[in-house]
Amino acid sequence: MIQRLYVHNFRCLENFELIIKGMPSVLLIGKNGSGKSTIALALEILQTIGRGVNRMGELEKIKLISPKDFARGRSDVPIRFEIEVLLNEKLYKYVLALELPERFKELRVFEEELLVSGSPIYSRQGAQVTLYTSSQNREAQFLVDWHLVALPIIQEQSETDPLRIFKTWLARMIILAPIPSLMTGDSHAETLQPKRDGSNLGEWFSGLLSRYPAAYTQVDKYLREVIPDIQDFLNEQIGKDTKSMIVRFEANNANLSVDFQDLSDGEKCFFICAFVLAANKFYGPLFCFWDEPDNYLSLSEVGHFVMSLRRSFKNNGQILVTSHNPEAIRKFSDENTFLLDRKSHLEPTLIRSLSDITFTGDLINTLISGDIEV
């Protein structure tokens, strides 16, 4: 569970701190351009590093970060990411700072550090990395290319190695901003790592069921709650190395088979939700960031959808969502709802818990009218 996320000098986030200690579900609200998607991007950078992509040029190539991302072009101050996570009752803190020296075209690592319960696992300044057996003893030092993040390349000693535990947790973070039109249900491989836009949903489905066959029951249970006439769903072999999801419906003694790609946008989002719930149960606990999960749903479906996610993560894992939908906002309390505000594109994002903001009248109407400010 994330306790704290700190981002500095990255796009609209300057000295930005999100403290969500002890909150299994969190809602971010705010006007367009207030920084919600930038928070997701910061998390996706850390997730991608945990999945093994550690060269700055590669992160730039996949459009996660670039020299243009310094706040207001202020490249004399490093971009800094800090994340604190509670795993197995131990606090993991990871720090990554990136700089762009004069006349350089590619970002490079200025500082990096991983601590567990206050004790350093490794630290780095520039090219020099130091591994520790304890906070007093230095185990080894080595040099690494300034343009490489060290976390993915340090060798793990065992399955209980803090490095392995933290990297696995980072890699398994689920960050979603689904685009249903990109989801076909076809798969040529298997994965436990869904893409942000959901375009590899078929491969995620194949990987989830291959690794955890019992996940089918969990997915089926949820789908029957939201799509009453669903009979079952299959992953049919349509080629030597290709499978495709087929969804079957039954009503009034009649049957209908539909390719997954032909479902409605909202129905595809129900499948994503079902997979998230199953993933959190079977290979969690997970952290999930979902940008506007209610985006493709009818008003009557939003409340049940949001509450299903909140219930699933209540005792296991953590979910952070954004929304502009009044029904979604009503399903959260002031204590776990945070308002992001930005006066103009020349000013940084500010954040406050709704419980710390004084307002009069109905919350939803106040938000719609834009009368709440941080």
Side-chain angles (χ1 to χ4, degrees):
M1 182 179 291
I2 292 179
Q3 312 284 285
R4 171 180 173 267
L5 176 68
Y6 177 83
V7 184
H8 183 53
N9 205 32
F10 179 64
R11 297 195 173 189
C12 62
L13 303 183
E14 297 184 52
N15 199 28
F16 176 88
E17 187 174 51
L18 175 63
I19 298 177
I20 51 177
K21 180 179 180 181
M23 298 182 185
S25 56
V26 180
L27 173 66
L28 298 180
I29 58 176
K31 298 177 182 177
N32 290 324
S34 61
K36 300 185 295 295
S37 296
T38 304
I39 295 171
L41 186 59
L43 290 166
E44 192 172 3
I45 290 168
L46 297 172
Q47 174 204 55
T48 305
I49 290 170
R51 293 179 176 180
V53 178
N54 68 327
R55 180 171 286 280
M56 287 295 105
E58 285 297 310
L59 291 171
E60 183 174 351
K61 187 182 297 185
I62 57 179
K63 302 185 185 305
L64 290 182
I65 194 168
S66 82
K68 296 180 181 179
D69 287 329
F70 287 92
R72 301 193 304 280
R74 195 181 59 188
S75 59
D76 58 318
V77 177
I79 292 173
R80 188 176 184 88
F81 303 103
E82 296 182 10
I83 189 168
E84 296 179 20
V85 186
L86 190 65
L87 301 173
N88 302 326
E89 299 184 349
K90 293 181 179 179
L91 185 64
Y92 287 68
K93 180 179 180 179
Y94 179 65
V95 176
L96 177 65
L98 307 172
E99 65 175 359
L100 185 69
E102 194 174 347
R103 295 187 297 276
F104 272 61
K105 294 183 179 181
E106 187 178 296
L107 293 166
R108 69 181 193 179
V109 179
F110 169 73
E111 179 186 351
E112 190 177 354
E113 184 177 40
L114 177 64
L115 301 97
V116 178
S117 300
S119 299
I121 303 300
Y122 79 90
S123 64
R124 172 189 185 168
Q125 291 291 329
Q128 183 167 290
V129 178
T130 303
L131 303 175
Y132 296 89
T133 52
S134 70
S135 57
Q136 292 78 30
N137 275 325
R138 292 186 174 184
E139 178 184 349
Q141 291 184 333
F142 64 93
L143 298 178
V144 65
D145 188 325
W146 284 64
H147 300 289
L148 295 178
V149 180
L151 181 66
I153 61 177
I154 298 176
Q155 187 173 359
E156 305 158 3
Q157 302 301 312
S158 68
E159 290 191 0
T160 59
D161 189 326
L163 273 167
R164 178 182 175 86
I165 292 171
F166 181 66
K167 284 192 287 188
T168 299
W169 181 86
L170 276 184
R172 287 184 173 176
M173 280 200 298
I174 294 176
I175 299 172
L176 296 170
I179 303 176
S181 61
L182 299 180
M183 303 175 199
T184 66
D186 293 342
S187 59
H188 307 282
E190 298 177 354
T191 185
L192 294 177
Q193 301 174 347
K195 293 181 179 179
R196 180 174 179 170
D197 60 12
S199 58
N200 69 337
L201 191 74
E203 294 181 350
W204 185 24
F205 177 58
S206 294
L208 188 62
L209 294 191
S210 176
R211 182 72 177 272
Y212 306 101
Y216 183 95
T217 302
Q218 175 76 23
V219 172
D220 182 71
K221 178 183 177 182
Y222 173 78
L223 290 176
R224 288 180 184 277
E225 291 177 3
V226 294
I227 310 176
D229 62 338
I230 193 169
Q231 181 183 20
D232 58 21
F233 47 97
L234 310 170
N235 214 14
E236 291 192 345
Q237 196 85 31
I238 60 173
K240 182 179 179 182
D241 300 309
T242 305
K243 295 180 180 179
S244 184
M245 289 177 59
I246 304 295
V247 184
R248 298 195 298 187
F249 301 94
E250 182 179 31
N252 301 320
N253 297 319
N255 297 283
L256 175 67
S257 294
V258 178
D259 290 340
F260 179 84
Q261 64 184 10
D262 295 327
L263 295 178
S264 71
D265 290 350
E267 289 171 329
K268 290 179 180 179
C269 288
F270 286 143
F271 271 82
I272 297 175
C273 184
F275 295 166
V276 168
L277 301 184
N280 188 43
K281 178 176 181 179
F282 288 97
Y283 65 89
L286 297 174
F287 171 81
C288 176
F289 182 103
W290 196 331
D291 194 9
E292 298 188 43
D294 46 60
N295 213 15
Y296 299 93
L297 305 180
S298 69
L299 194 61
S300 63
E301 295 167 330
V302 171
H304 179 272
F305 191 87
V306 170
M307 288 310 298
S308 294
L309 288 169
R310 290 198 66 194
R311 280 194 300 269
S312 174
F313 285 84
K314 184 176 181 179
N315 299 312
N316 190 46
Q318 187 179 37
I319 187 164
L320 178 59
V321 303
T322 72
S323 183
H324 298 282
N325 188 295
E327 287 303 311
I329 295 171
R330 287 190 177 98
K331 297 303 179 182
F332 286 81
S333 65
D334 291 356
E335 288 72 24
N336 62 353
T337 300
F338 291 85
L339 176 65
L340 276 65
D341 189 30
R342 193 178 174 202
K343 309 300 181 186
S344 74
H345 285 80
L346 300 179
E347 297 187 37
T349 294
L350 301 176
I351 183 169
R352 285 183 69 186
S353 168
L354 274 192
S355 61
D356 296 330
I357 299 175
T358 302
F359 57 91
T360 57
D362 179 70
L363 168 62
I364 302 301
N365 290 330
T366 306
L367 290 171
I368 292 173
S369 63
D371 292 336
I372 294 184
E373 293 186 353
V374 173

